[in-house]
Amino acid sequence: MLGLALAGGASPLSVFGASASWSGGDRIVAVVEDSVILESELSQKVFDILRKLEQSGTPAPPEDVLRRQVLDRIISEKLQLQMAERVGIKVDDETLRQAVQQIASRNGMSLDQFRHALEAEGMSYADFTGQIRDEITLSRLRGNQVTSRIKVSDREIDNYLAAGGPTGGGSDGGSEFHLGHILIATPPRASSAQLQAAYERAMRVTMELQRGGDFKRAAVSYSNDSLALNGGDLGWRKAQDLPGQLAELVLQMREGEIKGPLRSPSGFHIIKLFGVKGSGDHTSTKTHVRHILLKTSEVLSDDDAKQRLLALRQRLEHGEDFATLARGHSDDKGSAIKGGDLGFVEPGALVPPFEEAMNKLAVNQLSEPVQSQFGWHLIQVLERQQQSDTSEFRRAQAREALVRRKSEEETELWLRQMRDEAYVEIRLDGAEAAE
């Protein structure tokens, strides 16, 4: 359920043999400014990546290639965490608890059940929460350093919509493309020799792929993109959500085709089109919903809250009035005075566990108790309405897509610049050098 168990029960470390084993004898494999990376940390990360590659069916690259790719990711994360500490970004315990609660809820578990599931699969709960804290920290840092500085003008939105953005005029505006991406990065102020070396490497990778090489394995082996260790999988994107040059290429590609290298300020790009989905109808469904919320506390455990909601659900099934029970029992004071009524809500307006449960309900159907970071809910859908997307909604979508596109471009450049300006000393076997 958590995606932590190994496929077929085999240990991915066996792919690399005994040399990949995580031993107690530590040595320093890299120095990153004022901190170090130990052999044990690298080996554990390699283990984790191998497990994910095996689960996704992606062939693992040679040991030395994967170790260097994983080490590069750790170095990047170390540099970002050091910067976050310098600028005072911290994640408080309550924010962390809510984030872990959301993950547990998506797996259909309480926090206690989730903790036991992690431990049963050999993962320390403290290590897991530490990883989540780091992920939140990195997200906030990127928002602070990159996303907050990105501006989108009304003219850019107009051009996006005219070119086929959400419900825009372009013939491919609603199509989605499943893409793979490999980046052969270049420094921000690359010399002619550096550019030529990167281009030749990108050409070699492209030719290898066009001769039938595995794209995901090549991404893990060669790509400098932040998604390299995920096989370079960008997921499903609209063409308008991609940088301009990539969007132009994608619209001309056939499924399975590989294009590149394509030059950009961050380096040379290679892309593969895995699949295409047709355009949708651009309508959305508003849902009229009401709920009863019970918040957990020191005196009300998860199990107690769930049992209380089950008792209320039984009373409703025997004919008692939902609004009356909501006024008397719901801890959401804003909606309780209205009988639990949240009114009509747009898609994406509610937290994911609540919305997922709500979308599965028929009109007038009562849910089972549903857990979110706010507590436990009993949900009832009163009606649904189909609506055409308004002009304001389409422009908001366009703005979000443009911000996302610019953010991805700027984040790659920011990460490369941070790495280039930092003191990094690599001490892997046969690769001891300061960068």
Side-chain angles (χ1 to χ4, degrees):
M1 182 175 290
L2 299 177
L4 300 175
L6 304 183
S11 168
L13 289 184
S14 62
V15 175
F16 287 167
S19 63
S21 297
W22 184 14
S23 64
D26 256 357
R27 67 184 181 92
I28 295 173
V29 294
V31 178
V32 184
E33 294 287 1
D34 57 357
S35 68
V36 298
I37 299 171
L38 299 176
E39 174 72 32
S40 60
E41 181 179 2
L42 175 60
S43 295
Q44 182 61 56
K45 292 286 188 181
V46 168
F47 180 97
D48 294 340
I49 294 299
L50 277 170
R51 182 168 52 191
K52 291 177 182 177
L53 292 176
E54 185 170 348
Q55 289 170 349
S56 66
T58 301
E63 175 184 357
D64 59 332
V65 173
L66 182 59
R67 280 170 62 83
R68 182 54 194 256
Q69 281 282 66
V70 174
L71 182 60
D72 282 343
R73 173 183 280 191
I74 299 173
I75 289 169
S76 177
E77 290 177 355
K78 291 277 188 188
L79 290 171
Q80 292 175 75
L81 290 171
Q82 289 172 5
M83 176 179 284
E85 185 175 1
R86 289 197 299 272
V87 299
I89 294 176
K90 295 181 179 179
V91 178
D92 61 85
D93 291 341
E94 178 58 23
T95 298
L96 179 63
R97 189 196 69 78
Q98 290 183 8
V100 176
Q101 177 76 73
Q102 286 185 359
I103 297 170
S105 296
R106 286 198 295 271
N107 283 278
M109 300 181 187
S110 68
L111 270 177
D112 285 342
Q113 291 170 329
F114 186 67
R115 181 195 297 267
H116 292 321
L118 286 172
E119 292 170 350
E121 296 192 15
M123 179 175 289
S124 159
Y125 185 74
D127 288 345
F128 178 81
T129 56
Q131 291 174 16
I132 299 303
R133 189 187 294 273
D134 285 349
E135 288 177 12
I136 298 171
T137 301
L138 295 181
S139 177
R140 289 182 175 179
L141 176 68
R142 291 169 185 169
N144 178 276
Q145 297 293 313
V146 179
T147 309
S148 64
R149 299 201 300 266
I150 291 174
K151 307 297 181 187
V152 175
S153 68
D154 288 339
R155 181 178 292 275
E156 287 178 294
I157 294 174
D158 292 339
N159 292 339
Y160 175 92
L161 291 170
T167 68
S171 60
D172 290 299
S175 296
E176 291 185 80
F177 304 86
H178 184 193
L179 296 170
H181 176 244
I182 293 173
L183 169 66
I184 306 300
T186 55
R189 293 174 292 278
S191 65
S192 297
Q194 288 173 315
L195 289 174
Q196 183 62 29
Y199 174 75
E200 291 174 358
R201 188 181 188 202
M203 282 299 300
R204 288 195 299 272
V205 175
T206 303
M207 292 174 65
E208 175 186 323
L209 293 170
Q210 290 174 340
R211 289 194 296 265
D214 186 279
F215 190 94
K216 291 186 176 182
R217 181 177 184 176
V220 175
S221 300
Y222 304 119
S223 182
N224 304 121
D225 181 75
S226 58
L227 293 174
L229 294 176
N230 295 332
D233 194 338
L234 293 180
W236 289 94
R237 304 282 187 96
K238 291 184 182 296
Q240 291 77 19
D241 294 348
L242 300 167
Q245 291 176 296
L246 293 186
E248 292 173 12
L249 269 186
V250 165
L251 293 174
Q252 301 167 13
M253 292 174 67
R254 301 182 304 276
E255 285 192 35
E257 190 174 3
I258 294 163
K259 289 282 191 179
L262 181 69
R263 177 83 172 96
S264 83
S266 56
F268 294 93
H269 305 262
I270 304 164
I271 56 175
K272 179 173 182 176
L273 180 59
F274 292 123
V276 181
K277 289 195 294 192
S279 59
D281 58 8
H282 303 296
T283 62
S284 60
T285 302
K286 292 197 304 182
T287 304
H288 187 188
V289 63
R290 59 185 177 182
H291 78 140
I292 297 172
L293 169 69
L294 296 183
K295 295 181 179 179
T296 55
S297 64
E298 293 181 358
V299 296
L300 184 67
S301 68
D302 284 320
D303 286 340
D304 290 339
K306 186 176 180 179
Q307 291 304 316
R308 282 182 58 184
L309 284 182
L310 286 172
L312 290 174
R313 189 178 191 279
Q314 191 171 33
R315 290 169 64 180
L316 291 167
E317 288 177 337
H318 284 85
E320 293 196 42
D321 181 59
F322 191 106
T324 301
L325 292 182
R327 293 187 187 98
H329 297 276
S330 182
D331 291 328
D332 179 4
K333 301 307 179 186
S335 68
I337 60 174
K338 296 180 287 186
D341 197 338
L342 296 172
F344 278 96
V345 295
E346 303 277 357
L350 302 172
V351 293
F354 189 108
E355 184 160 319
E356 289 169 11
M358 177 187 75
N359 290 339
K360 294 176 182 177
L361 294 174
V363 172
N364 294 323
Q365 183 182 359
L366 284 169
S367 73
E368 297 294 329
V370 175
Q371 189 179 29
S372 78
Q373 66 264 42
F374 299 110
W376 287 84
H377 310 260
L378 194 61
I379 305 168
Q380 185 178 41
V381 170
L382 298 177
E383 58 180 313
R384 290 190 171 96
Q385 290 182 356
Q386 293 285 329
Q387 63 173 8
S388 297
D389 291 334
T390 63
S391 174
E392 292 78 9
F393 181 66
R394 293 197 299 271
R395 292 186 70 82
Q397 282 187 305
R399 184 180 297 278
E400 289 176 8
L402 288 166
V403 168
R404 184 166 59 250
R405 176 198 296 178
K406 289 186 175 185
S407 178
E408 290 173 353
E409 294 172 338
E410 292 300 319
T411 297
E412 287 296 338
L413 292 173
W414 172 68
L415 290 174
R416 295 302 304 172
Q417 183 176 1
M418 183 188 302
R419 175 68 179 266
D420 291 338
E421 293 175 353
Y423 176 79
V424 176
E425 182 183 344
I426 304 296
R427 296 184 182 179
L428 284 177
D429 294 336
E432 297 193 7
E435 298 183 359

